[in-house]
Amino acid sequence: MTEVISTQSVVDLAAIAEKFAFPGTVTNVQAFGSGNINDTFLVTVDSLEAQHFILQRINTLVFRQPELIMQNMRIFSDHVYQRLQYAPPNRRWEVPRVLSTKDNHDYCTDTQGNFWRAISFISGSQSFDTMQDLAQAQEIGYALGMFHNLISDLSPEKLADTLVGFHITPLYLRHYEQVLATAKPQPSPELDYCLQFVSDRQTSAYILENAKAAGELPLRLMHGDPKINNIMFDTVTHKAVSVIDLDTVKPGLVHYDIGDCLRSGCNPAGEETEHWESVAFDTDLCQGILQGYLSVAKDFLTENDYAYMYDAIRLIAFELGLRFFADYLAGNVYFKIKYPEHNLARALVQFKLTESIESQEIKIRKIIQDIK
């Protein structure tokens, strides 16, 4: 929901917005979007060239090296922009671009030391928090495939690793074991279920990292957070037109993105459902996402990439459940909660989703094989 900021804030924000190079003058600044990490504002300008741009205050508690975030974003967006200019796709596709300040920097700071950046606005587009239908599932897959395809020729060494250890399941498992050694949780059947669930799957936590270490899966660039509300859809055609929220773009395995996209997209009940027993992995949505993804990702995928695709889908659901469960045992120190057992409930949802994926392994592998 968009709300107008108070007059005093608009003046302050307008002054910050004016530090960036753009045609025209600022006429309005208002809060924008539903992100829960950075503060995001929509800036309106009186220009025929572009009527809006995005102004963001970066959360430096989460992103402790914002200069590296901006360096990554500049390299990534410039590379993709050049690719799109050189070989434009046969449909609308845009990449958010970094706007320089008037003194030619990628960001500016205010008198309080806050870190600000400006990004081009993807006009005539909207995002969704839940999957609407099968056609949208294919578009979400297409968007992730297009994202990966456009950076498949960009060396991962050119981008900084801004979130070391992110999606490295063995590291989360090690953290869980450290927490478990000193935790004194309230006994319950749900707790016992989670403890047994993790215990039964410890060895499988290493599957993707072992494949990477063996050279079977190459290090590439990944988005890091390809959930549905980071994909923009054209308001007229309802086709995907952009992938946003580029703060987590970094070297990694594309399998983390594939797994995370399917984990979040194929659970109609959602991550926050209280009815964890009814959580199930929807293989029709899985097929739709993979069809869309592989329609543009086949050019750079190897035989090994396909071989580990099922493992990625299963592992990332397990990994998130493990992270939620470890945080519950640690006393809820990382994820925001609404009640004491919130992270336990979230863990149960992801573990139930993992179970559903495992129970449909043959079907999911056949989907991958057939689309390939």
Side-chain angles (χ1 to χ4, degrees), residues 187-206:
S188 70
E190 290 81 10
L191 178 79
D192 292 341
Y193 168 83
C194 289
L195 289 168
Q196 190 62 50
F197 195 90
V198 177
S199 176
D200 290 345
R201 288 160 183 80
Q202 294 214 355
T203 52
S204 61
Y206 295 81

Side-chain angles (χ1 to χ4, degrees), residues 57-319:
R57 177 168 50 197
I58 297 181
N59 184 335
T60 50
L61 293 175
V62 174
F63 299 108
R64 296 181 181 272
Q65 293 179 289
E67 300 88 354
L68 289 182
I69 297 276
M70 295 312 299
Q71 179 182 300
N72 278 3
M73 191 179 286
R74 171 68 76 178
I75 294 168
F76 162 84
S77 63
D78 285 356
H79 175 86
V80 175
Y81 184 75
Q82 292 301 324
R83 277 279 306 261
L84 292 171
Q85 297 295 103
Y86 175 71
N90 58 5
R91 52 180 277 186
R92 182 188 176 194
W93 188 261
E94 296 182 36
V95 57
R97 305 215 58 203
V98 177
L99 303 186
S100 299
T101 60
K102 286 172 180 169
D103 56 357
N104 207 32
H105 289 99
D106 289 339
Y107 59 88
C108 69
T109 52
D110 61 23
T111 51
Q112 279 83 45
N114 291 309
F115 197 100
W116 294 88
R117 67 168 172 217
I119 305 167
S120 63
F121 178 66
I122 310 295
S123 62
S125 68
Q126 62 182 329
S127 64
F128 300 91
D129 287 324
T130 54
M131 190 88 74
Q132 308 296 301
D133 51 36
L134 199 53
Q136 195 181 65
Q138 289 181 319
E139 283 299 304
I140 285 166
Y142 172 88
L144 183 61
M146 182 63 112
F147 180 89
H148 284 161
N149 193 9
L150 287 168
I151 52 173
S152 60
D153 61 338
L154 178 58
S155 170
E157 284 76 26
K158 289 190 175 179
L159 267 67
D161 189 344
T162 50
L163 287 168
V164 176
F166 186 54
H167 277 320
I168 310 293
T169 316
L171 294 182
Y172 294 121
L173 185 62
R174 195 178 309 158
H175 170 69
Y176 163 78
E177 288 164 349
Q178 290 167 348
V179 168
L180 186 62
T182 56
K184 294 181 173 60
Q186 194 69 30
S188 70
E190 290 81 10
L191 178 79
D192 292 341
Y193 168 83
C194 289
L195 289 168
Q196 190 62 50
F197 195 90
V198 177
S199 176
D200 290 345
R201 288 160 183 80
Q202 294 214 355
T203 52
S204 61
Y206 295 81
I207 190 159
L208 292 185
E209 284 305 300
N210 284 352
K212 184 174 77 176
E216 294 177 343
L217 295 178
L219 190 71
R220 297 191 180 102
L221 290 172
M222 64 175 193
H223 181 277
D225 190 19
K227 57 190 179 189
I228 180 170
N229 60 7
N230 281 335
I231 293 162
M232 305 303 294
F233 290 82
D234 189 294
T235 51
V236 177
T237 65
H238 308 299
K239 300 279 190 185
V241 293
S242 188
V243 179
I244 60 167
D245 197 358
L246 307 174
D247 290 332
T248 50
V249 175
K250 66 188 279 294
L253 299 177
V254 294
H255 288 66
Y256 298 144
D257 278 352
I258 295 166
D260 207 20
C261 184
L262 288 158
R263 176 201 64 75
S264 61
C266 301
N267 171 16
E271 289 179 17
E272 296 291 334
T273 180
E274 293 173 13
H275 308 290
W276 62 274
E277 298 94 337
S278 64
V279 169
F281 185 82
D282 189 319
T283 52
D284 289 339
L285 293 176
C286 170
Q287 183 170 3
I289 291 173
L290 285 175
Q291 277 175 338
Y293 180 77
L294 294 175
S295 72
V296 276
K298 282 180 177 174
D299 291 349
F300 66 86
L301 290 176
T302 67
E303 199 58 42
N304 279 338
D305 286 326
Y306 290 107
Y308 284 98
M309 215 167 268
Y310 163 78
D311 299 299
I313 298 166
R314 188 197 65 79
L315 184 67
I316 300 303
F318 170 70
E319 176 187 286

